[in-house]
């Protein structure tokens, strides 16, 4: 079932709601949309989970405003969804940029409505290198990515997609996956890349009190594995689950292991 929820600034967010039982709120990564979770939401409802997948503003079927693509605003959008649906004892699952937004939500809104946090290849605590943080992409590399989005978005996203998976995916799957990114608003895609470049979540990590699982591919070429180690150090009591044969797209690289690990994290 799909429907819209109104957030701040009158922005309408599209939500796909599948199954019944314990609520699991999924946040997609950049530059994708809720459809990236296809291979999870076809399984979890069998085990008593309600899968709530939101399209972030500017992505998928949600409204496409010119502004509002910082983590604070997008975390507030997630709060609007949680409040509109009256979610309690829910699980929050965020992938890549969605993981970063999930961290900001837990910090900014004190984990409102959530009893568990699962970070999958999260673009955190900082996607880019800082003077005192030698991990992640260089700012120059992200600037080059942004320049590519202005000049030739399809080619830039295709090149970025080539970094995603460590396994040999089929051409038909790659075409489907690339189409998810191309369906997003051009402005949102650029602004999302700027947020990835500029946001720093290190101060947010100690504020997370909810049990947290960190899923991360050891072979990740987008958010290198040291980012997972930094999140694990920064989030007290967190559980780090390495995926030895996964790249950034661990949700498909090791699909069966990912789904089993997700079920374990949701239940514990």
């Amino acid at each position: 079932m799909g429907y819209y929820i109104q957030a701040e600034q009158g922005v309408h967010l599209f939500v796909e709601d599948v199954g019944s039982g314990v609520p699991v709120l999924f946040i997609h990564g950049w530059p994708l949309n809720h459809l990236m979770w296809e291979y999870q939401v076809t399984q979890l409802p069998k085990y008593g989970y309600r899968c709530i997948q939101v399209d972030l503003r500017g992505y998928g079927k949600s409204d496409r405003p010119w502004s509002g693509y910082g983590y604070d605003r997008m975390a507030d959008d997630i709060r609007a969804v949680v409040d509109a649906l009256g979610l309690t004892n829910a699980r929050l699952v965020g992938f890549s940029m969605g993981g970063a937004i999930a961290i900001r939500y837990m910090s900014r809104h004190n984990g409102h409505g959530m009893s568990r946090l699962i970070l999958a290849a999260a673009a955190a605590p900082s996607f880019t290198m800082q003077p005192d943080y030698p991990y992640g992409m260089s700012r120059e590399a992200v600037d080059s990515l942004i320049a590519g989005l202005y000049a030739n978005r399809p080619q830039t996203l295709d090149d970025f997609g080539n970094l995603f998976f460590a396994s040999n995916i089929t051409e038909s799957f790659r075409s489907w996956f690339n189409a998810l990114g191309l369906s997003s608003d051009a402005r949102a895609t650029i602004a999302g890349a700027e947020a990835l470049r500029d946001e720093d979540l290190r101060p947010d990590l100690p504020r997370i009190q909810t049990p947290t699982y960190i899923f991360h591919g050891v072979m990740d070429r987008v958010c290198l594995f040291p980012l997972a180690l930094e999140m694990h150090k920064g989030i007290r009591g967190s559980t780090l689950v390495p995926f030895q044969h996964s790249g950034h797209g661990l949700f498909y690289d090791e699909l069966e292991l990912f789904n089993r690990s997700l079920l374990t994290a949701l239940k514990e």
Side-chain angles (χ1 to χ4, degrees), residues 175-213:
S175 295
W176 169 78
F177 189 75
N178 285 350
L180 298 185
L182 285 171
S183 71
S184 298
D185 179 67
R187 166 61 189 160
T189 303
I190 292 166
E194 291 170 344
L196 284 165
R197 180 194 62 196
D198 298 337
E199 298 270 7
D200 187 347
L201 293 157
R202 285 178 291 173
D204 298 73
L205 300 184
R207 300 190 61 188
I208 297 175
Q209 304 299 319
T210 303
T212 300
Y213 288 79

mmCIF file of all heavy atoms in Angstrom, residues 175-213:
data_model
loop_
_atom_site.group_PDB
_atom_site.id
_atom_site.type_symbol
_atom_site.label_atom_id
_atom_site.label_comp_id
_atom_site.label_asym_id
_atom_site.label_seq_id
_atom_site.Cartn_x
_atom_site.Cartn_y
_atom_site.Cartn_z
ATOM 1 N N SER A 175 21.033 -2.465 -14.884
ATOM 2 C CA SER A 175 20.161 -1.506 -15.566
ATOM 3 C C SER A 175 19.029 -1.062 -14.648
ATOM 4 O O SER A 175 18.700 0.131 -14.586
ATOM 5 C CB SER A 175 19.594 -2.122 -16.845
ATOM 6 O OG SER A 175 20.622 -2.390 -17.772
ATOM 7 N N TRP A 176 18.439 -2.022 -13.949
ATOM 8 C CA TRP A 176 17.366 -1.695 -12.995
ATOM 9 C C TRP A 176 17.893 -0.780 -11.892
ATOM 10 O O TRP A 176 17.263 0.231 -11.554
ATOM 11 C CB TRP A 176 16.805 -2.982 -12.398
ATOM 12 C CG TRP A 176 15.890 -2.759 -11.240
ATOM 13 C CD1 TRP A 176 14.581 -2.366 -11.271
ATOM 14 C CD2 TRP A 176 16.216 -2.911 -9.840
ATOM 15 N NE1 TRP A 176 14.066 -2.271 -9.992
ATOM 16 C CE2 TRP A 176 15.053 -2.589 -9.099
ATOM 17 C CE3 TRP A 176 17.372 -3.286 -9.155
ATOM 18 C CZ2 TRP A 176 15.019 -2.645 -7.703
ATOM 19 C CZ3 TRP A 176 17.339 -3.335 -7.768
ATOM 20 C CH2 TRP A 176 16.167 -3.017 -7.060
ATOM 21 N N PHE A 177 19.051 -1.118 -11.368
ATOM 22 C CA PHE A 177 19.616 -0.362 -10.250
ATOM 23 C C PHE A 177 19.969 1.058 -10.688
ATOM 24 O O PHE A 177 19.673 2.030 -9.984
ATOM 25 C CB PHE A 177 20.846 -1.091 -9.724
ATOM 26 C CG PHE A 177 21.392 -0.524 -8.445
ATOM 27 C CD1 PHE A 177 20.742 -0.748 -7.241
ATOM 28 C CD2 PHE A 177 22.548 0.234 -8.451
ATOM 29 C CE1 PHE A 177 21.248 -0.218 -6.058
ATOM 30 C CE2 PHE A 177 23.056 0.761 -7.282
ATOM 31 C CZ PHE A 177 22.403 0.532 -6.082
ATOM 32 N N ASN A 178 20.572 1.198 -11.852
ATOM 33 C CA ASN A 178 20.906 2.531 -12.346
ATOM 34 C C ASN A 178 19.655 3.368 -12.583
ATOM 35 O O ASN A 178 19.664 4.588 -12.371
ATOM 36 C CB ASN A 178 21.718 2.433 -13.637
ATOM 37 C CG ASN A 178 23.151 2.011 -13.396
ATOM 38 O OD1 ASN A 178 23.616 1.959 -12.264
ATOM 39 N ND2 ASN A 178 23.865 1.695 -14.460
ATOM 40 N N ALA A 179 18.582 2.726 -13.015
ATOM 41 C CA ALA A 179 17.335 3.442 -13.272
ATOM 42 C C ALA A 179 16.765 4.042 -11.989
ATOM 43 O O ALA A 179 16.110 5.092 -12.030
ATOM 44 C CB ALA A 179 16.310 2.517 -13.920
ATOM 45 N N LEU A 180 17.009 3.400 -10.848
ATOM 46 C CA LEU A 180 16.538 3.967 -9.580
ATOM 47 C C LEU A 180 17.173 5.332 -9.340
ATOM 48 O O LEU A 180 16.497 6.282 -8.927
ATOM 49 C CB LEU A 180 16.877 3.024 -8.412
ATOM 50 C CG LEU A 180 16.270 1.624 -8.418
ATOM 51 C CD1 LEU A 180 16.619 0.895 -7.130
ATOM 52 C CD2 LEU A 180 14.751 1.676 -8.599
ATOM 53 N N GLY A 181 18.473 5.438 -9.595
ATOM 54 C CA GLY A 181 19.150 6.714 -9.403
ATOM 55 C C GLY A 181 18.706 7.761 -10.397
ATOM 56 O O GLY A 181 18.535 8.937 -10.045
ATOM 57 N N LEU A 182 18.497 7.375 -11.634
ATOM 58 C CA LEU A 182 18.085 8.333 -12.658
ATOM 59 C C LEU A 182 16.673 8.842 -12.443
ATOM 60 O O LEU A 182 16.307 9.907 -12.952
ATOM 61 C CB LEU A 182 18.200 7.691 -14.042
ATOM 62 C CG LEU A 182 19.631 7.553 -14.569
ATOM 63 C CD1 LEU A 182 19.647 6.712 -15.837
ATOM 64 C CD2 LEU A 182 20.254 8.914 -14.823
ATOM 65 N N SER A 183 15.854 8.090 -11.683
ATOM 66 C CA SER A 183 14.477 8.524 -11.441
ATOM 67 C C SER A 183 14.396 9.660 -10.435
ATOM 68 O O SER A 183 13.351 10.302 -10.294
ATOM 69 C CB SER A 183 13.635 7.346 -10.939
ATOM 70 O OG SER A 183 13.996 6.984 -9.615
ATOM 71 N N SER A 184 15.483 9.920 -9.717
ATOM 72 C CA SER A 184 15.483 10.963 -8.701
ATOM 73 C C SER A 184 15.663 12.335 -9.339
ATOM 74 O O SER A 184 16.192 12.473 -10.441
ATOM 75 C CB SER A 184 16.594 10.710 -7.678
ATOM 76 O OG SER A 184 16.369 9.483 -7.011
ATOM 77 N N ASP A 185 15.222 13.372 -8.625
ATOM 78 C CA ASP A 185 15.341 14.743 -9.104
ATOM 79 C C ASP A 185 16.809 15.141 -9.216
ATOM 80 O O ASP A 185 17.620 14.829 -8.335
ATOM 81 C CB ASP A 185 14.617 15.661 -8.125
ATOM 82 C CG ASP A 185 14.703 17.111 -8.533
ATOM 83 O OD1 ASP A 185 14.119 17.472 -9.558
ATOM 84 O OD2 ASP A 185 15.366 17.879 -7.802
ATOM 85 N N ALA A 186 17.157 15.844 -10.291
ATOM 86 C CA ALA A 186 18.552 16.241 -10.504
ATOM 87 C C ALA A 186 19.050 17.144 -9.381
ATOM 88 O O ALA A 186 20.168 16.985 -8.883
ATOM 89 C CB ALA A 186 18.702 16.938 -11.852
ATOM 90 N N ARG A 187 18.227 18.115 -8.979
ATOM 91 C CA ARG A 187 18.629 19.027 -7.906
ATOM 92 C C ARG A 187 18.845 18.262 -6.598
ATOM 93 O O ARG A 187 19.823 18.492 -5.890
ATOM 94 C CB ARG A 187 17.566 20.117 -7.720
ATOM 95 C CG ARG A 187 17.679 20.934 -6.446
ATOM 96 C CD ARG A 187 18.997 21.688 -6.351
ATOM 97 N NE ARG A 187 19.161 22.276 -5.036
ATOM 98 C CZ ARG A 187 20.337 22.656 -4.523
ATOM 99 N NH1 ARG A 187 21.443 22.511 -5.231
ATOM 100 N NH2 ARG A 187 20.415 23.173 -3.325
ATOM 101 N N ALA A 188 17.941 17.335 -6.275
ATOM 102 C CA ALA A 188 18.072 16.552 -5.047
ATOM 103 C C ALA A 188 19.332 15.698 -5.081
ATOM 104 O O ALA A 188 20.018 15.528 -4.060
ATOM 105 C CB ALA A 188 16.841 15.676 -4.844
ATOM 106 N N THR A 189 19.645 15.157 -6.247
ATOM 107 C CA THR A 189 20.839 14.329 -6.385
ATOM 108 C C THR A 189 22.097 15.150 -6.115
ATOM 109 O O THR A 189 23.004 14.713 -5.398
ATOM 110 C CB THR A 189 20.884 13.711 -7.788
ATOM 111 O OG1 THR A 189 19.680 12.964 -8.017
ATOM 112 C CG2 THR A 189 22.064 12.769 -7.932
ATOM 113 N N ILE A 190 22.146 16.345 -6.662
ATOM 114 C CA ILE A 190 23.302 17.217 -6.437
ATOM 115 C C ILE A 190 23.370 17.663 -4.980
ATOM 116 O O ILE A 190 24.429 17.618 -4.341
ATOM 117 C CB ILE A 190 23.236 18.429 -7.381
ATOM 118 C CG1 ILE A 190 23.443 17.967 -8.835
ATOM 119 C CG2 ILE A 190 24.254 19.490 -6.993
ATOM 120 C CD1 ILE A 190 23.080 19.001 -9.875
ATOM 121 N N ALA A 191 22.224 18.092 -4.436
ATOM 122 C CA ALA A 191 22.203 18.556 -3.042
ATOM 123 C C ALA A 191 22.522 17.426 -2.077
ATOM 124 O O ALA A 191 23.159 17.649 -1.034
ATOM 125 C CB ALA A 191 20.840 19.158 -2.720
ATOM 126 N N GLY A 192 22.100 16.203 -2.410
ATOM 127 C CA GLY A 192 22.443 15.063 -1.574
ATOM 128 C C GLY A 192 23.941 14.816 -1.557
ATOM 129 O O GLY A 192 24.524 14.512 -0.512
ATOM 130 N N ALA A 193 24.578 14.946 -2.720
ATOM 131 C CA ALA A 193 26.033 14.787 -2.778
ATOM 132 C C ALA A 193 26.726 15.890 -1.979
ATOM 133 O O ALA A 193 27.756 15.649 -1.326
ATOM 134 C CB ALA A 193 26.502 14.800 -4.226
ATOM 135 N N GLU A 194 26.188 17.092 -2.009
ATOM 136 C CA GLU A 194 26.759 18.184 -1.210
ATOM 137 C C GLU A 194 26.623 17.896 0.284
ATOM 138 O O GLU A 194 27.549 18.182 1.064
ATOM 139 C CB GLU A 194 26.061 19.494 -1.573
ATOM 140 C CG GLU A 194 26.387 19.977 -2.978
ATOM 141 C CD GLU A 194 25.520 21.143 -3.425
ATOM 142 O OE1 GLU A 194 24.470 21.395 -2.790
ATOM 143 O OE2 GLU A 194 25.890 21.803 -4.417
ATOM 144 N N ALA A 195 25.485 17.325 0.685
ATOM 145 C CA ALA A 195 25.307 16.965 2.101
ATOM 146 C C ALA A 195 26.291 15.879 2.500
ATOM 147 O O ALA A 195 26.898 15.939 3.586
ATOM 148 C CB ALA A 195 23.866 16.518 2.342
ATOM 149 N N LEU A 196 26.467 14.886 1.643
ATOM 150 C CA LEU A 196 27.450 13.842 1.931
ATOM 151 C C LEU A 196 28.840 14.447 2.122
ATOM 152 O O LEU A 196 29.601 14.035 3.004
ATOM 153 C CB LEU A 196 27.478 12.831 0.781
ATOM 154 C CG LEU A 196 26.324 11.829 0.721
ATOM 155 C CD1 LEU A 196 26.285 11.145 -0.636
ATOM 156 C CD2 LEU A 196 26.461 10.796 1.830
ATOM 157 N N ARG A 197 29.164 15.429 1.317
ATOM 158 C CA ARG A 197 30.476 16.074 1.391
ATOM 159 C C ARG A 197 30.649 16.894 2.664
ATOM 160 O O ARG A 197 31.727 16.883 3.278
ATOM 161 C CB ARG A 197 30.663 16.980 0.172
ATOM 162 C CG ARG A 197 32.000 17.720 0.118
ATOM 163 C CD ARG A 197 31.945 18.823 -0.928
ATOM 164 N NE ARG A 197 30.920 19.826 -0.599
ATOM 165 C CZ ARG A 197 30.448 20.721 -1.459
ATOM 166 N NH1 ARG A 197 30.893 20.751 -2.704
ATOM 167 N NH2 ARG A 197 29.537 21.593 -1.075
ATOM 168 N N ASP A 198 29.594 17.585 3.095
ATOM 169 C CA ASP A 198 29.734 18.625 4.115
ATOM 170 C C ASP A 198 29.325 18.214 5.529
ATOM 171 O O ASP A 198 29.780 18.825 6.495
ATOM 172 C CB ASP A 198 28.909 19.855 3.712
ATOM 173 C CG ASP A 198 29.384 20.476 2.401
ATOM 174 O OD1 ASP A 198 30.562 20.260 2.030
ATOM 175 O OD2 ASP A 198 28.578 21.153 1.743
ATOM 176 N N GLU A 199 28.463 17.221 5.663
ATOM 177 C CA GLU A 199 27.944 16.882 6.987
ATOM 178 C C GLU A 199 28.967 16.063 7.776
ATOM 179 O O GLU A 199 29.699 15.239 7.231
ATOM 180 C CB GLU A 199 26.642 16.083 6.874
ATOM 181 C CG GLU A 199 25.504 16.840 6.196
ATOM 182 C CD GLU A 199 24.644 17.627 7.183
ATOM 183 O OE1 GLU A 199 25.010 17.699 8.369
ATOM 184 O OE2 GLU A 199 23.603 18.154 6.746
ATOM 185 N N ASP A 200 28.973 16.283 9.100
ATOM 186 C CA ASP A 200 29.883 15.564 9.998
ATOM 187 C C ASP A 200 29.058 15.054 11.180
ATOM 188 O O ASP A 200 28.515 15.844 11.966
ATOM 189 C CB ASP A 200 30.996 16.497 10.474
ATOM 190 C CG ASP A 200 32.069 15.772 11.273
ATOM 191 O OD1 ASP A 200 31.856 14.610 11.673
ATOM 192 O OD2 ASP A 200 33.139 16.373 11.518
ATOM 193 N N LEU A 201 28.966 13.737 11.306
ATOM 194 C CA LEU A 201 28.106 13.119 12.322
ATOM 195 C C LEU A 201 28.876 12.655 13.555
ATOM 196 O O LEU A 201 28.290 12.015 14.430
ATOM 197 C CB LEU A 201 27.368 11.924 11.704
ATOM 198 C CG LEU A 201 26.340 12.282 10.633
ATOM 199 C CD1 LEU A 201 26.087 11.095 9.728
ATOM 200 C CD2 LEU A 201 25.046 12.746 11.259
ATOM 201 N N ARG A 202 30.129 12.974 13.646
ATOM 202 C CA ARG A 202 30.897 12.507 14.801
ATOM 203 C C ARG A 202 30.296 12.953 16.132
ATOM 204 O O ARG A 202 30.226 12.146 17.075
ATOM 205 C CB ARG A 202 32.352 12.950 14.667
ATOM 206 C CG ARG A 202 33.128 12.134 13.632
ATOM 207 C CD ARG A 202 34.553 12.607 13.484
ATOM 208 N NE ARG A 202 34.612 13.924 12.855
ATOM 209 C CZ ARG A 202 35.729 14.633 12.716
ATOM 210 N NH1 ARG A 202 36.881 14.144 13.173
ATOM 211 N NH2 ARG A 202 35.718 15.808 12.121
ATOM 212 N N PRO A 203 29.799 14.193 16.250
ATOM 213 C CA PRO A 203 29.189 14.574 17.525
ATOM 214 C C PRO A 203 27.866 13.845 17.815
ATOM 215 O O PRO A 203 27.421 13.813 18.964
ATOM 216 C CB PRO A 203 28.944 16.084 17.364
ATOM 217 C CG PRO A 203 29.868 16.520 16.280
ATOM 218 C CD PRO A 203 29.937 15.351 15.342
ATOM 219 N N ASP A 204 27.248 13.282 16.790
ATOM 220 C CA ASP A 204 25.963 12.601 16.977
ATOM 221 C C ASP A 204 26.123 11.216 17.600
ATOM 222 O O ASP A 204 25.214 10.726 18.279
ATOM 223 C CB ASP A 204 25.234 12.457 15.637
ATOM 224 C CG ASP A 204 24.888 13.786 14.995
ATOM 225 O OD1 ASP A 204 25.803 14.470 14.492
ATOM 226 O OD2 ASP A 204 23.712 14.144 14.992
ATOM 227 N N LEU A 205 27.242 10.562 17.320
ATOM 228 C CA LEU A 205 27.388 9.154 17.704
ATOM 229 C C LEU A 205 27.211 8.905 19.202
ATOM 230 O O LEU A 205 26.494 7.973 19.593
ATOM 231 C CB LEU A 205 28.741 8.615 17.227
ATOM 232 C CG LEU A 205 29.003 8.658 15.720
ATOM 233 C CD1 LEU A 205 30.351 8.001 15.412
ATOM 234 C CD2 LEU A 205 27.892 7.995 14.926
ATOM 235 N N PRO A 206 27.831 9.689 20.097
ATOM 236 C CA PRO A 206 27.676 9.395 21.532
ATOM 237 C C PRO A 206 26.254 9.598 22.049
ATOM 238 O O PRO A 206 25.931 9.128 23.152
ATOM 239 C CB PRO A 206 28.648 10.394 22.193
ATOM 240 C CG PRO A 206 29.551 10.857 21.108
ATOM 241 C CD PRO A 206 28.754 10.802 19.864
ATOM 242 N N ARG A 207 25.410 10.277 21.282
ATOM 243 C CA ARG A 207 24.050 10.550 21.729
ATOM 244 C C ARG A 207 23.099 9.391 21.446
ATOM 245 O O ARG A 207 21.964 9.407 21.893
ATOM 246 C CB ARG A 207 23.534 11.817 21.053
ATOM 247 C CG ARG A 207 24.362 13.068 21.359
ATOM 248 C CD ARG A 207 23.664 14.316 20.873
ATOM 249 N NE ARG A 207 22.377 14.495 21.526
ATOM 250 C CZ ARG A 207 21.496 15.423 21.186
ATOM 251 N NH1 ARG A 207 21.759 16.247 20.185
ATOM 252 N NH2 ARG A 207 20.347 15.538 21.833
ATOM 253 N N ILE A 208 23.564 8.396 20.713
ATOM 254 C CA ILE A 208 22.717 7.254 20.388
ATOM 255 C C ILE A 208 22.733 6.269 21.551
ATOM 256 O O ILE A 208 23.783 5.718 21.902
ATOM 257 C CB ILE A 208 23.181 6.581 19.085
ATOM 258 C CG1 ILE A 208 23.053 7.557 17.917
ATOM 259 C CG2 ILE A 208 22.381 5.305 18.817
ATOM 260 C CD1 ILE A 208 23.593 7.029 16.601
ATOM 261 N N GLN A 209 21.573 6.042 22.144
ATOM 262 C CA GLN A 209 21.440 5.150 23.292
ATOM 263 C C GLN A 209 20.730 3.846 22.929
ATOM 264 O O GLN A 209 20.690 2.911 23.734
ATOM 265 C CB GLN A 209 20.663 5.864 24.412
ATOM 266 C CG GLN A 209 21.272 7.188 24.843
ATOM 267 C CD GLN A 209 22.679 7.027 25.389
ATOM 268 O OE1 GLN A 209 22.972 6.087 26.131
ATOM 269 N NE2 GLN A 209 23.560 7.952 25.023
ATOM 270 N N THR A 210 20.158 3.784 21.753
ATOM 271 C CA THR A 210 19.398 2.623 21.303
ATOM 272 C C THR A 210 20.346 1.523 20.832
ATOM 273 O O THR A 210 21.379 1.820 20.223
ATOM 274 C CB THR A 210 18.477 3.038 20.132
ATOM 275 O OG1 THR A 210 17.648 4.110 20.574
ATOM 276 C CG2 THR A 210 17.609 1.894 19.666
ATOM 277 N N PRO A 211 20.028 0.253 21.103
ATOM 278 C CA PRO A 211 20.864 -0.830 20.569
ATOM 279 C C PRO A 211 21.067 -0.681 19.059
ATOM 280 O O PRO A 211 20.104 -0.491 18.314
ATOM 281 C CB PRO A 211 20.055 -2.091 20.902
ATOM 282 C CG PRO A 211 19.271 -1.716 22.125
ATOM 283 C CD PRO A 211 18.928 -0.261 21.943
ATOM 284 N N THR A 212 22.324 -0.758 18.629
ATOM 285 C CA THR A 212 22.680 -0.441 17.249
ATOM 286 C C THR A 212 23.515 -1.555 16.634
ATOM 287 O O THR A 212 24.448 -2.058 17.268
ATOM 288 C CB THR A 212 23.474 0.879 17.196
ATOM 289 O OG1 THR A 212 22.675 1.939 17.726
ATOM 290 C CG2 THR A 212 23.891 1.214 15.769
ATOM 291 N N TYR A 213 23.161 -1.903 15.413
ATOM 292 C CA TYR A 213 23.919 -2.883 14.631
ATOM 293 C C TYR A 213 24.519 -2.162 13.426
ATOM 294 O O TYR A 213 23.826 -1.418 12.733
ATOM 295 C CB TYR A 213 23.017 -4.016 14.160
ATOM 296 C CG TYR A 213 22.594 -4.946 15.273
ATOM 297 C CD1 TYR A 213 21.572 -4.587 16.143
ATOM 298 C CD2 TYR A 213 23.233 -6.167 15.481
ATOM 299 C CE1 TYR A 213 21.183 -5.420 17.178
ATOM 300 C CE2 TYR A 213 22.854 -7.010 16.514
ATOM 301 C CZ TYR A 213 21.832 -6.627 17.349
ATOM 302 O OH TYR A 213 21.447 -7.452 18.387
#
